[in-house]
Each structure stands twice: as C-alpha cells, then as structure tokens.
Amino acid sequence: MATLSIYVPDQEPFAVDLAGIEQLSVGRGPENDVVLDHISLSGSHAVIQNNDGVYQVTDLGSTNGTFANGEQVTEVTLSEGLQIAFGSVQAVFSEGAEAASGALDADTGVPAEAGGGESFTHGDPPAVADVSSVPVGFKNLSPIEKVEKKDTLGQIAVIVGVVAILAAVTLVALSAVMKAA
C-alpha cells in the first residue's frame, strides 16, 4: 500500500493512502485534494499522479519549490523512502503500510524513520521565499498605476519652495497695494 507521510511544521503528522488514487493535488488552497495549511506552500503547489502503480510528483510552478532528497525538482518518480519537501512541509513516500509516527530528527527536521537523514543531503528544509517570482510574459492589467514612495527630504524641499514662492507673491501683491494707496 503506497503511503505519503506528511509532516507539517507545528502540526500532527498524518499519512495519505495513495492506493487507487489516479491523481492527487497538494497545496494551500481549498480546491486541493490534500490541503496543507502552511505559509511555504502555494495555493496549488504540486500534483501526485499514479501511472499503473508508479507515482510521480509534479511541481506546479510553486514559489518555494518542491524538493526530492534535498534537490529541487519539477518532476520526480517516487520510490521507497524518498523524502519530499513541498516548500517547508516534509513528506516521506512509503510502499509499505507504515503511517506517520511524528518523530522528527532534531538536526535535520526530517522524519526519524526515514533512515536518520542519511539520504537527505539538503540538511535543512527549504527556506520560504521573501518575494514571489513573476512569470515570464506577465503584464499587470490593473488600471491603477503603482505608486512609488517619494523621498522625504525631497518632499520637504518642495514644500519649502512652494511656501517661499507664495510668500514672494504675497510680498509683491502687498507692495503693489501699498504703492497704490
């Protein structure tokens, strides 16, 4: 029985039985088959496909990536003990009947039953991206232009200049009124 044991940080681990499932979507969005509430996951992060008992994970262009044994991948065929990271969420594929036990290695953050982390060369879970990358060819269709922050010192200089001009105009007008009187 194929199982994916999932270890979401600060949550109880759980196992997903993959037997008989043709396709399984993984992500933070509610439309996914497996919803993982963690900031490091994209709304639609990855999909797991079953091709006659051969399971394959495909990253769906997620911001924080999908990793197999520490290497970033776009597609990978699952094999016994393969450690997968969806962003910072760890998972281990098993073809046996084992379920998630919850024990994580203190040094690597990887499930302890996955061989103590020997095959996990990455060492640390992937870091959460600071910014999202914009897809190639992306165009902003918003009718509102992006407002850039102004330089505070420049704004003060402009205000002082406007006040000086208004003062000069007032003095000229006052001078003209006094001459006329």
Side-chain angles (χ1 to χ4, degrees):
M1 172 170 75
T3 305
L4 188 65
S5 298
I6 301 176
Y7 304 84
V8 180
D10 301 323
Q11 295 180 23
E12 286 294 317
F14 62 96
V16 176
D17 182 10
L18 300 176
I21 295 175
E22 289 183 31
Q23 182 169 307
L24 192 72
S25 60
V26 178
R28 201 174 59 214
E31 69 279 357
N32 291 291
D33 299 315
V34 178
V35 178
L36 300 174
D37 186 23
H38 194 266
I39 192 167
S40 68
L41 267 76
S42 295
S44 294
H45 197 96
V47 66
I48 301 170
Q49 294 176 321
N50 178 357
N51 298 318
D52 296 323
V54 177
Y55 296 91
Q56 186 165 342
V57 173
T58 304
D59 185 87
L60 298 174
S62 62
T63 301
N64 292 315
T66 300
F67 295 77
N69 287 341
E71 299 293 322
Q72 189 164 10
V73 295
T74 54
E75 277 189 5
V76 65
T77 301
L78 300 180
S79 59
E80 178 68 35
L82 183 72
Q83 297 172 7
I84 305 138
F86 303 107
S88 295
V89 174
Q90 302 292 325
V92 177
F93 178 75
S94 175
E95 295 184 76
E98 296 179 21
S101 72
L104 298 179
D105 185 282
D107 296 328
T108 64
V110 175
E113 74 269 5
E118 292 106 3
S119 64
F120 191 70
T121 58
H122 185 56
D124 293 322
V128 176
D130 293 328
V131 295
S132 294
S133 57
V134 177
V136 176
F138 176 80
K139 293 187 184 215
N140 186 356
L141 299 177
S142 174
I144 302 170
E145 290 187 30
K146 185 176 180 181
V147 176
E148 298 290 330
K149 285 190 171 184
K150 305 288 189 226
D151 179 27
T152 306
L153 188 57
Q155 287 179 335
I156 292 171
V158 168
I159 292 170
V160 168
V162 168
V163 170
I165 291 171
L166 290 174
V169 168
T170 304
L171 285 175
V172 169
L174 187 59
S175 168
V177 169
M178 290 182 97
K179 270 187 183 180

